[in-house]
Amino acid sequence: MRKITLASALLILLATPQFTSAFTLDALSGSADCNGWNANVDIVVRDGAFMGQLEYAVVLRDADGFEVQRFDYSGMLDPLAGPMLSFLVGGDWDAPLDGTYTVEGQFWVYDITAGGNNTTSDGFSIDPGCSGAVDPAGDGCTHTADFWLENPGLWPVDRLVVGDREMDRSELESVLQMRRHCLLMFALMREQIVAKLNLASGAPDLIAGTVDKTDAFLASAATPRRGHRGRGHGGREYGQAMRLQAELHRYNRSGCPDGSGILTLTYDDVEYGVVGKAAVEDMSLGTVKAMYR
């Protein structure tokens, strides 16, 4: 029997598919509606991961193919956060859409090594279905954080209780101005404030149970601080916070009710656009957890 040297064994291992890339884009799903877009990204992290980077570009185009709005992101990945990183990312349009549009997203994961980098990529193309949409500025509509920041004269209240803390107008606006990549607890507070503003302005009371649960959760959780990385939170607490945030986020972007009082521009009505993984050489709970570390 021929002997296999150490060098030969290493070559065999490196040639095996699971060792070709330590950071790999495993799954991507995208959705879009008349108020904004979302994407779920799952990234596999294998043993030996050294350095990784996530990049994406999401472009809103009109019926003629011209770029209306664009979202670009680039950020490093934590090699110690594996074996799966999951991210929930998204953005709001500058104004609610009413017409024919296409949302195109492209995502890249770079596995950076001493000898260069391997890349996996994926993308989606979605029609948000906004032709003839109900005007989201009408009565009974839900709105996003950007809407309330851009329309201060439409606020139904100037003070809200969030968790067990009463917050004045300046404090509420400060939280709403935080972007999605902030600490998870701040992101949850942001969606809770938006939901309470929507409810106070006459939007359908479809989220009251989740709002109550969120207040109870925020009252019992540790008070977040700017710059705090949040590593002290356990997996169960993270999971509960992310589920509450997802429910509030979906409600806040659901749009306007029809004559029966039922919201017609719901997040759930948007068909997911999923494109198969495209490995060049050698994105749920795991994607969100990583982005708030």
Side-chain angles (χ1 to χ4, degrees):
M1 180 181 295
R2 187 170 56 184
K3 292 184 178 180
I4 300 178
T5 65
L6 178 59
S8 299
L10 288 174
L11 287 174
I12 293 172
L13 288 174
L14 291 174
T16 306
Q18 65 263 32
F19 289 93
T20 58
S21 184
F23 288 98
T24 304
L25 178 54
D26 185 64
L28 170 69
S29 64
S31 66
D33 60 20
C34 306
N35 296 311
W37 66 276
N38 285 289
N40 289 280
V41 191
D42 292 332
I43 300 171
V44 173
V45 184
R46 297 186 175 90
D47 292 340
F50 171 66
M51 186 180 297
Q53 184 168 321
L54 168 66
E55 293 186 4
Y56 65 73
V58 177
V59 180
L60 173 67
R61 299 186 185 278
D62 63 17
D64 297 319
F66 290 104
E67 183 175 309
V68 177
Q69 192 172 348
R70 183 184 185 94
F71 297 82
D72 291 293
Y73 172 80
S74 178
M76 303 305 296
L77 300 171
D78 186 355
L80 302 179
M84 177 71 76
L85 301 179
S86 295
F87 296 85
L88 171 62
V89 296
D92 300 327
W93 310 131
D94 289 338
L97 306 183
D98 186 1
T100 301
Y101 298 88
T102 301
V103 181
E104 299 173 351
Q106 190 65 38
F107 290 69
W108 301 269
V109 170
Y110 300 98
D111 177 34
I112 303 171
T113 66
N117 69 76
N118 298 318
T119 305
T120 47
S121 63
D122 203 349
F124 55 77
S125 180
I126 302 170
D127 176 359
C130 299
S131 180
V134 180
D135 179 9
D139 293 337
C141 300
T142 65
H143 304 287
T144 63
D146 287 343
F147 173 89
W148 292 114
L149 287 171
E150 293 166 4
N151 296 275
L154 298 181
W155 281 46
V157 293
D158 287 322
R159 306 182 72 87
L160 286 173
V161 175
V162 182
D164 57 356
R165 175 185 174 188
E166 184 174 355
M167 304 175 70
D168 61 24
R169 180 70 170 260
S170 63
E171 292 173 313
L172 296 172
E173 289 178 340
S174 178
V175 176
L176 293 186
Q177 288 166 358
M178 296 177 185
R179 296 295 91 189
R180 297 187 186 280
H181 298 288
C182 61
L183 177 67
L184 175 57
M185 292 302 176
F186 277 122
L188 179 58
M189 289 173 62
R190 189 171 187 257
E191 295 299 335
Q192 177 77 335
I193 291 169
V194 174
K196 289 195 171 189
L197 289 174
N198 286 328
L199 290 171
S201 67
D205 189 4
L206 307 176
I207 200 73
T210 301
V211 168
D212 291 342
K213 291 178 183 177
T214 302
D215 272 338
F217 177 83
L218 290 172
S220 63
T223 302
R225 307 186 305 275
R226 286 182 182 270
H228 177 57
R229 295 171 64 84
R231 294 186 183 276
H233 299 297
R236 174 179 291 183
E237 189 175 25
Y238 261 116
Q240 184 179 359
M242 281 180 268
R243 284 190 293 273
L244 292 170
Q245 185 199 8
E247 292 177 21
L248 293 170
H249 187 258
R250 182 171 61 240
Y251 172 77
N252 290 334
R253 298 165 71 101
S254 55
C256 299
D258 59 20
S260 66
I262 302 301
L263 289 169
T264 56
L265 302 183
T266 62
Y267 176 95
D268 289 334
D269 285 344
V270 178
E271 185 173 326
Y272 281 91
V274 183
V275 179
K277 179 173 53 179
V280 180
E281 265 181 36
D282 260 326
M283 192 187 187
S284 139
L285 186 60
T287 283
V288 182
K289 186 173 180 179
M291 89 185 265
Y292 295 109
R293 288 180 175 274

